[in-house]
């Protein structure tokens, strides 16, 4: 679909489904309110491409839910391996990418819909290629793109962590699958002034980063909180899970930072819980993404307390409406995790709860770091992120997370 056609079809793209059209308007309003949708070109793209045609058979309410992905494939264990991503995530990643007419854009991970949005953004003079490791996914995407008027989008099947399709450089590489590391090929083929947008996992915390090359390293120009299905293929990376109780409650380590011996934690949650409150508060609804990231960087054995729905409440670790993952760490013979309680003024106070032989120490250490984070800046800004080739020895000051191909440095500015 060309951009001139867009004008005439903007209202009509969703006319096959009058219901879809109403749901689209509500979804766009929510995306604007969430701050995910910020520019006219991205909004025009969402109006032009009929999302429901890329999720045939799915209920329209699900297709147009701003924060829901439509899962299109699961593995033998029921884990989602492919989806049409949530509109919120698609919108903020496209905003992060700042795509202009005429650009060459590569999307890694193909659902069809997002590639069609990119085709709208680059217009007839641009070029879009989408690559996926799974032939079922590429066949589906090619068919849906053809049927909706986006046959110009090239669809390729490959493990994109080994090689990228086509020749020449890409102005934008947009990775739509969760990556633990950045393979060299994602930056080798980036055009001068190009931008890589990628959901990168550091110690279990995923952030969509917009990265630009500065000499041999990358610097993040923006960051958004997100979750994604995991990258498969040669750079696939398994997390390590230590079960605390049955199969529904455990500690999840993502990098090589798990204590060598986890046996001291056996039976820990049967012990008395120790809680330390910090006096650090946050407004209801305010993001504490920066705090999660900070704890991940500074606590040597940072992990996530992972609970199946209902499991944490049942074990007495959290109240109803608990989150599925909480920042946690192991310290000596204990683990501690982040807690919040409602104050009289409606704000929430952070605390740390711990179980095990050294519970006091584990809770106190986490509470101290929550206070240290609070002291850093009044606006608790996200850190500066720079990513360096693995062989780099001299790094800027900050917390370092080492990967196979890269070294990630997170630096928070001290309050002046
Ligand atoms: C969330 S889906 C992509 C969503 C899509 N961009 C959309 O329109 O919303 C992630 C995809 O990444 C693919 N994938 C996983 N590992 C990959 C790899 N190493 N190379 C290429 N694709 C990969 C999966 O097969 C899956 O289809």
């Amino acid at each position: 679909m060309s951009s001139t056609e867009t004008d005439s079809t903007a209202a009509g793209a969703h006319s096959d489904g009058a219901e879809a059209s109403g749901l689209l308007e509500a979804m766009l309003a929510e995306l604007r309110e969430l701050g995910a949708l910020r520019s006219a070109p991205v909004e025009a793209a969402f109006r032009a491409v009929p999302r429901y045609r890329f999720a045939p058979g799915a209920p329209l309410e699900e297709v147009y839910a701003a924060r829901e992905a439509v899962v299109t494939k699961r593995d033998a264990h029921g884990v989602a391996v492919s989806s049409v991503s949530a509109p919120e995530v698609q919108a903020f990643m496209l905003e992060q990418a700042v795509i202009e007419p005429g650009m060459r854009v590569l999307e890694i991970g193909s659902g069809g819909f997002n590639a069609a949005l990119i085709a709208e953004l680059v217009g007839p003079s641009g070029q879009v290629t989408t690559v996926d490791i799974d032939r079922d996914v590429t066949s589906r995407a090619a068919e849906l793109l053809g049927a909706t008027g986006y046959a110009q989008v090239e669809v390729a099947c490959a493990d994109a962590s080994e090689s990228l399709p086509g020749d020449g450089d890409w102005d934008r590489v947009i990775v739509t699958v969760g990556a633990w590391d950045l393979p060299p090929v994602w930056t080798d083929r980036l055009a001068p002034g190009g931008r890589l947008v990628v959901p990168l996992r550091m110690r279990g915390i995923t952030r969509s980063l917009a990265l630009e090359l500065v000499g041999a390293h990358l610097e993040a120009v923006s960051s958004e909180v997100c979750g994604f299905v995991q990258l498969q293929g040669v750079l696939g990376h398994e997390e390590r899970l230590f079960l605390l109780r049955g199969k529904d409650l455990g500690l999840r380590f993502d990098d090589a930072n798990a204590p060598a011996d986890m046996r001291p934690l056996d039976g820990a949650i049967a012990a008395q819980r120790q809680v330390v409150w910090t006096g650090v508060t946050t407004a209801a609804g305010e993001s504490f993404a920066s705090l999660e990231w900070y704890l991940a960087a500074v606590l040597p054995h940072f992990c996530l307390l992972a609970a199946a729905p209902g499991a944490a409440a049942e074990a007495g670790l959290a109240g109803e409406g608990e989150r599925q993952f909480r920042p946690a760490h192991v310290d000596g013979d204990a683990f501690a995790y982040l807690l919040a309680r409602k104050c009289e003024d409606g704000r929430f106070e952070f605390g740390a709860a711990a179980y095990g032989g050294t519970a006091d120490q584990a809770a106190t250490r986490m509470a101290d770091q929550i206070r240290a984070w609070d002291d850093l800046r009044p606006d608790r800004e996200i850190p500066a992120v720079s990513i360096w080739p693995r062989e780099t020895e001299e790094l800027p000051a900050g917390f370092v997370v080492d990967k196979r191909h890269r070294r990630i440095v997170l630096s928070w500015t001290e309050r002046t």
Side-chain angles (χ1 to χ4, degrees):
M1 193 176 292
S2 72
S3 47
T4 39
E5 275 172 321
T6 302
D7 293 332
S8 58
T9 55
H14 296 82
S15 62
D16 304 15
E19 200 189 341
S21 173
L23 291 169
L24 171 74
E25 289 309 321
M27 182 188 91
L28 293 175
E30 190 175 344
L31 292 180
R32 283 190 298 265
E33 202 173 304
L34 287 167
L37 189 57
R38 300 187 282 269
S39 73
V42 176
E43 177 159 345
F46 269 96
R47 285 185 189 283
V49 185
R51 182 171 167 90
Y52 72 96
R53 298 216 26 213
F54 290 88
L60 284 181
E61 287 70 22
E62 185 187 337
V63 175
Y64 285 91
R67 311 191 78 172
E68 300 288 332
V70 180
V71 176
T72 49
K73 189 169 180 179
R74 293 183 186 274
D75 69 10
H77 308 288
V79 176
V81 290
S82 192
S83 63
V84 176
S85 299
E88 180 191 19
V89 175
Q90 291 172 324
F92 68 58
M93 288 183 82
L94 293 176
E95 298 287 8
Q96 285 185 290
V98 192
I99 297 168
E100 286 165 16
M103 280 186 169
R104 296 188 79 223
V105 181
L106 176 70
E107 179 196 47
I108 297 177
S110 317
F113 179 67
N114 197 51
L117 294 175
I118 299 170
E120 287 289 336
L121 290 168
V122 299
S125 58
Q127 189 193 328
V128 185
T129 298
T130 181
V131 57
D132 202 288
I133 197 169
D134 185 332
R135 203 162 287 285
D136 289 347
V137 175
T138 50
S139 304
R140 178 187 178 281
E143 194 183 316
L144 293 173
L145 285 162
T148 46
Y150 294 95
Q152 78 273 28
V153 174
E154 285 174 28
V155 183
C157 187
D159 181 342
S161 41
E162 286 191 302
S163 65
L164 300 186
D167 300 319
D169 291 345
W170 300 99
D171 296 304
R172 300 289 183 261
V173 174
I174 304 180
V175 184
T176 64
V177 57
W180 179 82
D181 196 1
L182 305 182
V185 72
W186 292 356
T187 40
D188 290 350
R189 301 264 310 272
L190 211 50
R195 196 175 265 205
L196 169 67
V197 179
V198 55
L200 185 61
R201 227 166 60 233
M202 291 149 285
R203 302 215 162 143
I205 303 284
T206 304
R207 298 287 182 260
S208 171
L209 302 176
L211 299 162
E212 287 183 354
L213 272 172
V214 182
H217 78 278
L218 292 153
E219 283 185 9
V221 292
S222 72
S223 148
E224 300 273 0
V225 176
C226 63
F228 261 97
V229 300
Q230 297 196 17
L231 193 84
Q232 305 164 40
V234 293
L235 261 197
H237 179 85
E238 292 291 324
E239 294 164 317
R240 293 175 66 192
L241 180 67
F242 291 93
L243 294 172
L244 293 166
R245 195 200 69 167
K247 283 189 175 165
D248 55 5
L249 202 59
L251 297 175
R252 227 166 72 171
F253 290 86
D254 188 36
D255 289 81
N257 65 326
D261 186 6
M262 294 289 286
R263 278 171 302 182
L265 288 185
D266 285 349
I269 57 168
Q272 183 73 23
R273 184 169 83 154
Q274 306 286 330
V275 179
V276 176
W277 292 104
T278 58
V280 176
T281 63
T282 185
E286 191 182 322
S287 165
F288 52 98
S290 160
L291 173 60
E292 287 184 337
W293 220 359
Y294 185 77
L295 295 177
V298 298
L299 294 169
H301 299 306
F302 179 87
C303 52
L304 293 175
L305 175 66
E314 202 184 302
L317 271 69
E320 293 306 322
E322 77 215 50
R323 300 166 68 224
Q324 205 187 344
F325 299 106
R326 280 167 188 263
H329 79 131
V330 173
D331 190 345
D333 296 349
F335 71 94
Y337 60 96
L338 185 67
L339 206 59
R341 67 176 172 188
K342 198 166 184 181
C343 313
E344 277 177 10
D345 62 1
R347 291 177 68 82
F348 286 84
E349 181 184 7
F350 291 117
Y355 288 90
T358 50
D360 261 348
Q361 175 186 311
T364 302
R365 195 185 300 261
M366 181 177 262
D368 287 347
Q369 292 298 356
I370 295 169
R371 291 192 199 95
W373 164 77
D374 188 49
D375 278 347
L376 277 172
R377 278 183 81 95
D379 59 0
R380 297 164 183 172
E381 213 172 67
I382 60 155
V385 184
S386 58
I387 303 182
W388 303 76
R390 189 66 178 84
E391 60 278 9
T392 312
E393 280 173 13
E394 285 204 14
L395 294 170
F399 303 100
V400 180
V401 183
D402 279 329
K403 304 287 183 176
R404 200 169 120 206
H405 296 290
R406 314 274 175 167
R407 310 192 75 186
I408 304 172
V409 183
L410 307 173
S411 321
W412 275 264
T413 320
E414 297 285 343
R415 195 201 306 243
T416 48

